[in-house]
Amino acid sequence: MPSTPVPPSGERLHGLDAVRAIALLLGLVVHASMSWLPGAQYFWLTHDATPNAWAGLAFYVPHMFRMLLFFLLAGFFARLAHERMGTRAFIRDRGKRIAMPLLSGWFPMLMAILAVAAWNAWLVNNGKMPEAPPTPPLSPRHFPLTHLWFLYVLLLCYIAAMLVRATLGRSAFVQRAADAGVRLFASPIGPLLLAIPLGSALATHASWFAWFGIPTPDQSLYPSLAAWIAFGSAFGLGWLLHRQPQLLRGWAGHWPLHLAIAVVATIGCMLHIGLAPQLVAAPRDMVTLAYAVAYSIAGWSWSFALVGMGLRFLSGHSRIRRYLADASYWIYFAHLPVVMAMQVAMSRVQWPWFVEFLVVLLVSMALLLSSYDLLVRNSFIGAWLNGRRKPRGLEYR
């Protein structure tokens, strides 16, 4: 029998922990697929000699929802932590677990990515290093946050949440209005309501490359309006949803409906835009608006469905799921140079694309899990990322 969808107060939310880990681990799938996408030489570090449009499935579908889902759960767990700790302890905790990893890890990650890029360039040019391409000077507008942009945006969301709470959070009227709004947005029509502002922002985004979905702020300290609406609304919904966790029972019960809508909307989007990346900006017309809204409905419906499925089927304790949930932060934090290095290695062999893709995924995951257990879990890095040092291997708590 499935576990209780919403556990009693004080008990760990194993189902939501598992879904948050899934959202992060899907990042490996998305980034591992990129070397085999047609036209990858125009937007990725390396491209394989055997591109295949079917690799687009591994990128396109998870990319619709994985960061919406992550920020939704990040908001939920952020308020949970704030209620347990209080404001001052919460700020110290987020500084330790989010700001410190970003500040200390960004430069090493960037250097590792550049080292892999140099290795790839050396191989492609038969053992000779080509002249480095011109790059814009470092500035807030041109800042290579890389895949660690999610930590930067999380910090912005925390700051916004603290400011709103300090200025409006004690108003009974604001609280009642927020609770009523969340009941509406958490209802079965929630994905449609949430899709309207996001779809509008995507359709009017300057030079929107529609196939790639929500434009992530990985190259700038200024998130776009579309990124703010997407990830800010997800975080805010999660934060306010924690005030009424009983609403999650509806998600656990309605997951088949949300999953069906997600699948239908995703198929419709793919029939319109295709499996291969479209490397031209979408025109600003009604067709693009319709696609953007459908894309947003799919992303939000996937998020609602996966949260519901996690609560319905994964709420029981599992040592393996608990371990992977703990490890997922480190795995996503460190994965990009590892995945890229494996893609460069696979570009030197002539195997079927899906075999190379699976090798990249499996070997990268094995290396990252090993590094987590050996170097991170019971070290000061693990204390940063997980809140405390934990014993190596599987644990019961």
Side-chain angles (χ1 to χ4, degrees):
M1 289 289 292
S3 302
T4 304
V6 183
S9 177
E11 186 177 335
R12 192 171 192 104
L13 300 172
H14 299 294
L16 297 186
D17 268 345
V19 175
R20 180 173 54 177
I22 289 170
L24 288 174
L25 296 178
L26 281 175
L28 273 73
V29 177
V30 167
H31 291 139
S33 71
M34 294 183 73
S35 185
W36 291 272
L37 297 179
Q41 63 269 29
Y42 299 110
F43 54 81
W44 196 238
L45 177 144
T46 185
H47 63 282
D48 201 84
T50 57
N52 193 294
W54 286 105
L57 275 176
F59 178 97
Y60 186 86
V61 176
H63 196 59
M64 298 180 99
F65 63 84
R66 64 184 184 90
M67 295 314 292
L68 280 178
L69 179 59
F70 172 80
F71 276 92
L72 173 69
L73 294 174
F76 185 93
F77 282 112
R79 188 176 185 278
L80 184 152
H82 182 272
E83 292 300 297
R84 288 179 176 174
M85 298 177 178
T87 299
R88 291 186 179 180
F90 175 78
I91 292 173
R92 288 195 299 269
D93 180 76
R94 299 300 102 166
K96 175 183 176 182
R97 299 182 63 182
I98 304 299
M100 285 300 295
L102 175 61
L103 293 174
S104 61
W106 169 76
F107 187 73
M109 282 295 131
L110 179 62
M111 291 300 100
I113 290 169
L114 292 177
V116 176
W119 177 41
N120 180 65
W122 183 78
L123 289 174
V124 169
N125 288 274
N126 300 313
K128 297 180 180 179
M129 288 300 298
E131 184 178 347
T135 56
L138 197 65
S139 69
R141 194 168 297 279
H142 300 285
F143 196 94
L145 281 168
T146 69
H147 65 298
L148 300 185
W149 66 265
F150 80 106
L151 296 178
Y152 174 70
V153 175
L154 262 183
L155 290 174
L156 297 181
C157 289
Y158 294 142
I159 292 170
M162 293 297 97
L163 289 175
V164 171
R165 186 179 183 278
T167 55
L168 301 174
R170 292 179 174 84
S171 166
F173 172 79
V174 170
Q175 291 179 8
R176 288 195 299 270
D179 289 343
V182 168
R183 286 193 293 272
L184 181 61
F185 285 116
S187 71
I189 64 169
L192 174 60
L193 299 176
L194 291 161
I196 293 173
L198 177 55
S200 301
L202 290 174
T204 56
H205 181 75
S207 300
W208 182 44
F209 292 89
W211 195 86
F212 292 93
I214 300 168
T216 56
D218 56 331
Q219 296 294 326
S220 173
L221 296 181
Y222 301 136
S224 67
L225 177 62
W228 263 120
I229 290 176
F231 307 127
S233 64
F235 183 93
L237 177 61
W239 179 283
L240 294 174
L241 188 62
H242 180 263
R243 287 176 52 86
Q244 304 176 82
Q246 71 277 5
L247 296 176
L248 291 173
R249 291 190 174 91
W251 292 20
H254 293 134
W255 70 263
L257 171 65
H258 293 306
L259 181 62
I261 294 172
V263 170
V264 170
T266 299
I267 292 173
C269 288
M270 289 191 297
L271 288 175
H272 170 72
I273 206 165
L275 288 177
Q278 302 296 308
L279 303 180
V280 293
R284 294 188 179 184
D285 56 21
M286 293 305 296
V287 173
T288 296
L289 177 60
Y291 170 81
V293 172
Y295 187 96
S296 302
I297 290 173
W300 276 114
S301 295
W302 279 114
S303 299
F304 278 43
L306 288 170
V307 169
M309 293 169 71
L311 291 169
R312 186 74 175 87
F313 301 112
L314 302 177
S315 288
H317 179 67
S318 163
R319 289 186 298 164
I320 294 175
R321 290 201 300 269
R322 176 72 257 141
Y323 183 90
L324 289 175
D326 290 340
S328 61
Y329 186 1
W330 165 254
I331 290 172
Y332 191 78
F333 186 93
H335 82 280
L336 197 56
V338 177
V339 167
M340 287 178 163
M342 286 301 304
Q343 288 172 329
V344 172
M346 289 297 100
S347 71
R348 314 307 294 177
V349 301
Q350 299 297 320
W351 299 344
W353 77 269
F354 59 89
V355 174
E356 296 176 6
F357 170 60
L358 288 175
V359 169
V360 169
L361 270 182
L362 295 175
V363 174
S364 298
M365 189 67 177
L367 292 173
L368 291 162
L369 270 176
S370 298
S371 68
Y372 173 72
D373 199 69
L374 294 172
L375 305 175
V376 174
R377 186 169 174 83
N378 194 31
S379 72
F380 72 94
I381 303 175
W384 279 3
L385 302 183
N386 296 330
R388 62 182 176 87
R389 296 172 186 252
K390 298 188 177 185
R392 288 177 53 193
L394 300 180
E395 59 174 11
Y396 284 93
R397 294 183 181 272

